[in-house]
Amino acid sequence: MATFDPSIAAPENWLDDLTRWAQHHQKQDDPLPLDRCVVDLASPELVRDRLLGVLEMAVLGGITASMLRGYISRGENGVPPPRSTVGGRAQWSRPVAEDWAGARRRSSEGLKEAMSAGDRHHLAPGAAQIRDRFSETPPSR
């Protein structure tokens, strides 16, 4: 009996191959019901031309590309590992980049930037103290 090998399936034939797999699967002794089988055919956000580079990732995070490179080299600010590296250039999926940017906006550094008005002496009374309090970096655990 021939077995189905998804590693040799050509992408343009996946629908046919999936149908063939389902038919073969149901003929096996005691197979799992099809609704309990996991088959992942596509992850559009991981297609190479949809991945974001350092510049796009930095823009989402509201920082410069050089600042992002510094974070990466020092392992700071929770920058997620890239999905791939092509030609020495890191690339992330948009959902991962957006999650990181959102977490960054909620971080103490993000709060500090949001409440910053340049010179702290130009803030409304009490705002500088509030900004300083919320921008304190919590101790590492």
Side-chain angles (χ1 to χ4, degrees):
M1 173 178 4
T3 60
F4 175 74
D5 183 1
S7 67
I8 62 171
E12 63 272 6
N13 296 326
W14 280 10
L15 289 177
D16 295 340
D17 292 333
L18 180 60
T19 301
R20 190 173 341 119
W21 171 83
Q23 291 167 346
H24 173 75
H25 176 76
Q26 290 178 340
K27 292 178 185 176
Q28 294 179 0
D29 294 335
D30 196 28
L32 278 174
L34 289 178
D35 63 349
R36 294 203 42 225
C37 297
V38 176
V39 177
D40 186 7
L41 296 178
S43 295
E45 69 275 7
L46 300 179
V47 174
R48 184 170 296 205
D49 65 347
R50 291 193 179 179
L51 294 175
L52 306 179
V54 169
L55 180 60
E56 296 92 352
M57 178 87 156
V59 168
L60 279 176
I63 58 174
T64 65
S66 62
M67 186 178 287
L68 178 60
R69 286 185 195 97
Y71 288 165
I72 293 167
S73 69
R74 294 185 303 271
E76 295 177 347
N77 294 315
V79 178
R83 166 68 179 119
S84 68
T85 304
V86 178
R89 298 176 187 269
Q91 298 180 322
W92 294 266
S93 69
R94 180 168 292 280
V96 168
E98 288 173 348
D99 285 348
W100 173 76
R104 178 174 159 63
R105 285 188 291 275
R106 293 184 300 273
S107 71
S108 60
E109 186 174 324
L111 285 171
K112 184 176 185 178
E113 288 175 10
M115 294 194 65
S116 177
D119 185 355
R120 69 188 313 276
H121 301 292
H122 290 99
L123 293 174
Q129 291 84 6
I130 293 171
R131 181 189 71 186
D132 292 344
R133 179 174 163 242
F134 282 112
S135 65
E136 290 176 2
T137 303
S140 299
R141 293 181 187 176

